Amino acid sequence: MQISWRFPQKTVSLQANKHLIMKELLKKIIFEQQEYCKYVTQETVPRCIEEEWLTTTEILIITGIRRCGKSVLLQQMRRKLSEQDFFFNFDDERLVNFTVSDFQTLQECFFELFGEQHTYYFDEIQNVKGWETFVRRLYNEGNKVIVTGSNARMLSRELGTHLTGRYIAVEIFPFSFQEYLQLANIQVAPKDYYLTSKRSILLGQFKEYMEKGGFPKYLQSPSARYLSSLYDSIVFRDVMARNGLTNEKEMQELVFYLASNATKRITYSSLGKIVGIRHSETVKNYLEYIEQTYMIFQLMKYSPSVKVQMLNPKKIYFIDNAIVSRIGFNATENMGAKLENMVFIELKRRGYDVFYHADKKECDFVVREGMSIKEAYQVTIAMNGEKTRKREIAGLAEAMDAYGLTEGYILTMEEKEDLQIDGKTIHILPTWEWMLGKR
């Protein structure tokens, strides 16, 4: 009996041919991306880059919502490091069949094209299932690895098993007010806070920022179509497709309601009844999926007990006012909600652990450091009228008493004043001043 090796040889030949085809495709993409990246940072605002990010030997993982500037930050970091060639962006439709086994081929392409280097830059790497195993191997071999991704799950389930203790996490947000001013080529000098003309210009810019938000590309060329494209990418690709969801109508109605009622308290059961989702657990899961994309944040009521925090109503905030304006419905301009939303995002941008306070009164935000509350903030468009003034001061004062604070802040659109009440100081500040770091 003769044994023929014809079929195994044919299989090996097909595999080798597939490998060559993949190599050619990857090299083509590498060079195209290299050319594109030459122009990415030319007309953009320099983002803040901490020295630790450049010098650390740990894996640097940069996360944030789509199109908030992660890729630009990655390119700006590349320009500061000596090895720059091993860059690859996985957000490309030609890579739809790229699997974890293809990383080895990609590495071979790098070496063939650029020689030996030890610094890797991977953009939107979460698109490849199992990416963390390859990154761990690179790390174990002594390489520097910087990756970006648009899903908070990168910092939990996917990294918990393979990369625990091996990475530094950095969250990137859309432009701050300071960066917004940089984009508009407006420099702020210390004296500008005291000059009427300069204050008026800064307030005008702040009002525009409150409406337009901070998505870099949208600010450079405002377009409703751009925001719609961003929204669709988040909802359909990052929420529904990634989590295997099929009920498009439920998801869209849920996000629409949230955007129309940003900053208000919600419960999973009441939200389910409003948008027609039967089970509160389904609502809870949907909100978590949306939150993983960084489009929304769920703010919990402060309590020393985590169980109490979980059982109380949540408040919903959006990553950017542009999304709220684009997908939500409001009969009025709803300036108060937009101002509050901006303050929340600024607190998150600063890395604070934020909650709301509610007892007999309510305080919009309290900030925890370690095991205790260190700061309290109330947000209102204006302190007009005795009723509004009493309400805002009473809510802040109750929070200050509850957490033993001697100072608190009320952030407004224009008003500025310091109050002394029962031995405590309440600073009333224009929000734009606070955002620029002046207290």
Side-chain angles (χ1 to χ4, degrees), residues 1 9 22 28 34 42 50 61 73 77 83 88-89 153 203 218 270 284 297 303 326 331 342 399 408 431:
M1 174 177 159
Q9 287 176 345
M22 175 59 80
K28 175 180 174 64
Q34 295 273 3
Q42 288 184 357
E50 296 184 15
I61 299 179
L73 175 62
M77 292 182 66
E83 295 181 333
F88 201 75
N89 185 348
R153 192 182 297 171
L203 177 59
Y218 178 67
S270 64
K284 178 177 180 291
F297 297 85
S303 169
R326 179 70 186 96
M342 286 175 61
T431 306

Side-chain angles (χ1 to χ4, degrees), residues 336 339-340 343 364-365 377-381 392 410-411 431:
L339 186 65
E340 184 178 332
V343 170
D364 292 322
F365 307 117
Y377 296 87
Q378 199 76 297
V379 184
T380 183
I381 288 291
E392 301 300 336
I410 298 179
L411 302 178
T431 306

Side-chain angles (χ1 to χ4, degrees), residues 10 48 60 64 81 91 113 127 141 143 172 188 213 251 285 311 313 327 337 382 409:
K10 185 176 182 180
C48 176
L60 187 68
L81 295 170
D91 196 16
L113 295 175
N127 291 336
E141 292 171 353
N143 297 291
I172 301 299
V188 182
M251 184 61 66
N285 291 337
L311 291 175
I327 65 178
Y409 299 88

Side-chain angles (χ1 to χ4, degrees), residues 189-207:
K191 65 179 182 180
D192 293 344
Y193 294 102
Y194 304 98
L195 298 174
T196 301
S197 60
K198 296 294 186 180
R199 290 181 64 85
S200 297
I201 291 172
L202 290 172
L203 177 59
Q205 290 291 323
F206 179 73
K207 288 179 178 178

